[in-house]
Amino acid sequence: MPHFDVNQYLKDNIRTVPDWPAPGVQFRDITPLLQNPKVFRVLIDAFVHRYMDPDLRPDVVAGLDARGFILGAVVAYELNVGFVPIRKKGKLPFTTVEETYELEYGSATVELHTDAIKPGHRVLLIDDLIATGGTMMAGKKLLEKLGGTVMEGAAIVDLPELGGSDRLRESGLPLFTLVDFAGH
């Protein structure tokens, strides 16, 4: 039986949309990973099998708005741990903490409910893609404000040329990604 390469299988199922949202940008569209039940299961299992390991098992999974919700909720369910959403400002109804971060043009703010995690919780922070790393860094800071330990940041795709994964690792955050689009 031939070897099944999970990472290549997933990469082969990510759609590249040229010149979106701007000319020269190669947009990595992960929605095909979610549409095909077999591909979706392979994707989720790649995360779940890693975090079932007792040394890597989180107390809670935090997902970044919005595609991190899709992954994070399913991974949390499979691990039998709680899920907390980190949302764009103004979307959460209860008391929140917030973190603002810089974008290419301007800034953005994300929020987390103050009761989302407890001090000492080991948190897995998950999103679909790491580009500049700003969103994941803001999520990490929010979770740390509440006393959590972000044990690892996870994403499907890393775009290493944009520097986000290096920046996150330099901040002390271990990363786990499944697909690397370096040099594309």
Side-chain angles (χ1 to χ4, degrees):
M1 186 167 156
H3 172 71
F4 179 72
D5 183 337
V6 170
N7 305 72
Q8 190 60 51
Y9 179 74
L10 294 171
K11 189 173 190 172
D12 291 345
N13 281 280
I14 293 171
R15 175 173 37 219
T16 297
V17 181
D19 300 319
W20 197 86
V25 174
Q26 297 289 315
F27 186 82
R28 307 305 178 176
D29 179 12
I30 62 120
T31 59
L33 300 177
L34 311 174
Q35 291 168 276
N36 178 314
K38 178 183 176 185
V39 179
F40 191 33
R41 188 167 296 276
V42 168
L43 170 66
I44 295 301
D45 284 352
F47 288 117
V48 170
H49 293 162
R50 176 174 180 81
Y51 297 109
M52 286 175 80
D53 183 309
D55 293 337
L56 290 174
R57 192 173 183 83
D59 297 310
V60 65
V61 176
L64 289 157
D65 202 339
R67 288 175 295 267
F69 296 173
I70 300 164
L71 301 171
V74 180
V75 170
Y77 176 83
E78 289 291 327
L79 292 173
N80 198 34
V81 299
F83 172 77
V84 295
I86 296 175
R87 303 240 27 211
K88 294 179 177 100
K89 186 173 174 66
K91 301 290 186 183
L92 291 172
F94 189 62
T95 312
T96 61
V97 289
E98 66 177 46
E99 186 70 33
T100 298
Y101 61 100
E102 296 308 308
L103 297 169
E104 193 175 351
Y105 304 104
S107 64
T109 302
V110 288
E111 295 181 318
L112 180 64
H113 277 148
T114 53
D115 65 351
I117 64 161
K118 293 182 174 37
H121 264 168
R122 288 166 40 93
V123 185
L124 168 61
L125 179 57
I126 196 164
D127 204 0
D128 65 323
L129 184 141
I130 298 171
T132 63
T135 311
M136 190 166 282
M137 185 69 78
K140 176 182 184 285
K141 289 178 181 175
L142 277 180
L143 293 159
E144 289 171 346
K145 279 183 186 179
L146 298 180
T149 300
V150 183
M151 41 165 291
E152 195 158 73
I156 302 168
V157 175
D158 182 18
L159 302 175
E161 289 169 2
L162 297 180
S165 51
D166 286 343
R167 189 170 146 236
L168 290 163
R169 284 187 186 99
E170 286 163 11
S171 81
L173 181 64
L175 292 180
F176 175 70
T177 58
L178 295 167
V179 176
D180 184 321
F181 276 102
H184 291 264

